Amino acid sequence: MARLEHQFIRVSLNIPYGDKAIPAITSVPTSCYEYGVVVTHGAGGDMNLSQLVTLANHFASNGLLCVRFTCKGLNINYRIKVYKHILEYLCGFKDYKIKGWFLAGRSMGSRAAVGVANSVAHNTHLASLVKGVICIAYPLHPPQRTSDLRDKPLLDLRACVLFISGTKDAMCEKGLMENVLDKMSCNVTTHWITNADHSYKVTGRQTATVIDEMVQVVLKWCEDIVSGTRADGETFAAVHCGTESPKIKTPTLRKRKKRACKLNADELKLKPNKKKLKHNVV
């Protein structure tokens, strides 16, 4: 299991959106931090989905601020609009001094995260703050409708992206997904969980071990992005949502390489800091 190094507190937020408020919970490391993650749920459930809570706990425990929020509704354009609003709100939130954000989501939430990354790609300020996209169980197609691919947003994507999917996901047929991945022009990392379905359930395996596998992959990938390195030794070409960083020489993109994400928990280290923050604890 990924080692928990930092203490954190949970802070309740109600983010204004028109005449309503979007409920959110922020997991804040008690030591200072530089990067954050925004994550949301799929078509069902809410921000209290066990997978999201576990992921948020591990993010904060490893020095990443994490904001998870609830956005009900099945209209993907609405979900993208709300997600983008929350990103803009957090970027201007004075309490959190963040150098960069990772956009994450599970299932439909990952579609929304991709949509937000695409929508800010030409916004110099926001694009510079988006470090990458984390797609947990990306629904490439509806169940039993493999001809109805949701691949265009992926082909348009310029941000670094991580996909974690199950090999038995009825909404992400592996062969079809591999074909899409080969066509993508951005930096792509993929991790397949053997025999996992869309909910990450694996017959004969405890769900907790599957979630832990997912957590370790996500944390290591975020660390690679922050440090600017890849498993093959190259520098990430798209640290800022597809735009070049002035401090990093961009190499010629190679064809996507498959890699097994077998991680050592001792590798999951983000730099601790000394300053303390004061928040009302939930």
Side-chain angles (χ1 to χ4, degrees), residues 72-120:
K72 300 287 187 178
L74 300 179
N75 185 307
I76 187 60
N77 292 325
Y78 172 74
R79 294 286 299 267
I80 293 172
K81 187 176 180 180
V82 171
Y83 200 139
K84 182 180 178 182
H85 172 79
I86 289 175
L87 175 63
E88 292 171 339
Y89 177 87
L90 293 172
C91 288
F93 197 51
K94 295 181 180 179
D95 284 8
Y96 304 144
K97 302 298 183 182
I98 299 294
K99 288 185 178 180
W101 291 94
F102 294 95
L103 308 183
R106 173 181 157 67
S107 193
M108 187 179 187
S110 66
R111 293 178 62 199
V114 169
V116 173
N118 285 338
S119 72
V120 305

Side-chain angles (χ1 to χ4, degrees), residues 40 48 125 144 179 203 254:
T40 192
N48 294 314
H125 175 62
Q144 299 180 341
N179 290 337
T203 301
R254 297 176 180 175

Side-chain angles (χ1 to χ4, degrees), residues 202-228:
V202 178
T203 301
R205 184 177 174 186
Q206 292 185 346
T207 302
T209 65
V210 180
I211 301 305
D212 184 62
E213 179 181 339
M214 178 264 290
V215 165
Q216 291 193 54
V217 171
V218 172
L219 286 172
K220 183 59 170 61
W221 182 81
C222 289
E223 174 68 9
D224 286 347
I225 294 283
V226 169
S227 63

Side-chain angles (χ1 to χ4, degrees), residues 49-70:
L49 181 74
S50 61
Q51 290 182 16
L52 298 193
V53 174
T54 299
L55 193 57
N57 290 346
H58 280 271
F59 276 136
S61 297
N62 284 274
L64 287 163
L65 179 142
C66 184
V67 180
R68 51 191 164 95
F69 69 93
T70 295

Side-chain angles (χ1 to χ4, degrees):
M1 177 174 272
R3 185 171 64 191
L4 307 184
E5 297 182 343
H6 299 260
Q7 293 183 339
F8 64 93
I9 58 175
R10 294 188 182 93
V11 180
S12 179
L13 292 177
N14 284 303
I15 300 175
Y17 183 73
D19 59 354
K20 60 180 72 173
I22 304 298
I25 293 178
T26 306
S27 299
V28 186
T30 53
S31 58
C32 206
Y33 45 84
E34 295 181 323
Y35 296 91
V37 184
V38 188
V39 62
T40 192
H41 55 90
D46 55 25
M47 65 182 173
N48 294 314
L49 181 74
S50 61
Q51 290 182 16
L52 298 193
V53 174
T54 299
L55 193 57
N57 290 346
H58 280 271
F59 276 136
S61 297
N62 284 274
L64 287 163
L65 179 142
C66 184
V67 180
R68 51 191 164 95
F69 69 93
T70 295
C71 180
K72 300 287 187 178
L74 300 179
N75 185 307
I76 187 60
N77 292 325
Y78 172 74
R79 294 286 299 267
I80 293 172
K81 187 176 180 180
V82 171
Y83 200 139
K84 182 180 178 182
H85 172 79
I86 289 175
L87 175 63
E88 292 171 339
Y89 177 87
L90 293 172
C91 288
F93 197 51
K94 295 181 180 179
D95 284 8
Y96 304 144
K97 302 298 183 182
I98 299 294
K99 288 185 178 180
W101 291 94
F102 294 95
L103 308 183
R106 173 181 157 67
S107 193
M108 187 179 187
S110 66
R111 293 178 62 199
V114 169
V116 173
N118 285 338
S119 72
V120 305
H122 301 292
N123 181 316
T124 303
H125 175 62
L126 288 179
S128 69
L129 294 174
V130 174
K131 300 303 181 185
V133 182
I134 302 166
C135 294
I136 301 169
Y138 184 86
L140 181 63
H141 53 79
Q144 299 180 341
R145 288 166 54 190
T146 54
S147 61
D148 187 9
L149 295 183
R150 297 161 176 153
D151 58 344
K152 187 179 185 308
L154 301 182
L155 300 179
D156 292 339
L157 193 61
R158 297 169 60 191
C160 304
V161 59
L162 168 67
F163 293 96
I164 304 180
S165 298
T167 60
K168 291 188 176 181
D169 189 339
M171 300 182 72
C172 186
E173 198 278 319
K174 185 178 179 182
L176 294 176
M177 188 63 171
E178 292 284 0
N179 290 337
V180 173
L181 297 174
D182 284 334
K183 297 176 183 178
M184 294 175 65
S185 59
C186 62
N187 281 311
V188 178
T189 301
T190 310
H191 181 79
W192 292 98
I193 300 178
T194 304
N195 295 328
D197 63 12
H198 191 65
S199 298
Y200 284 177
K201 293 180 181 179
V202 178
T203 301
R205 184 177 174 186
Q206 292 185 346
T207 302
T209 65
V210 180
I211 301 305
D212 184 62
E213 179 181 339
M214 178 264 290
V215 165
Q216 291 193 54
V217 171
V218 172
L219 286 172
K220 183 59 170 61
W221 182 81
C222 289
E223 174 68 9
D224 286 347
I225 294 283
V226 169
S227 63
T229 60
R230 298 190 348 179
D232 58 13
E234 275 195 356
T235 300
F236 267 101
V239 175
H240 298 303
C241 203
T243 62
E244 295 182 13
S245 167
K247 296 182 180 180
I248 297 176
K249 183 178 179 181
T250 304
T252 302
L253 287 177
R254 297 176 180 175
K255 189 173 182 179
R256 181 179 59 88
K257 293 184 177 181
K258 301 177 184 178
R259 65 183 178 93
C261 297
K262 294 182 179 179
L263 308 173
N264 186 322
D266 291 334
E267 296 178 313
L268 308 177
K269 295 180 181 178
L270 295 174
K271 294 181 179 180
N273 295 283
K274 299 179 180 179
K275 293 175 64 177
K276 300 292 182 180
L277 298 175
K278 294 182 179 179
H279 293 279
N280 293 324
V281 181
V282 177

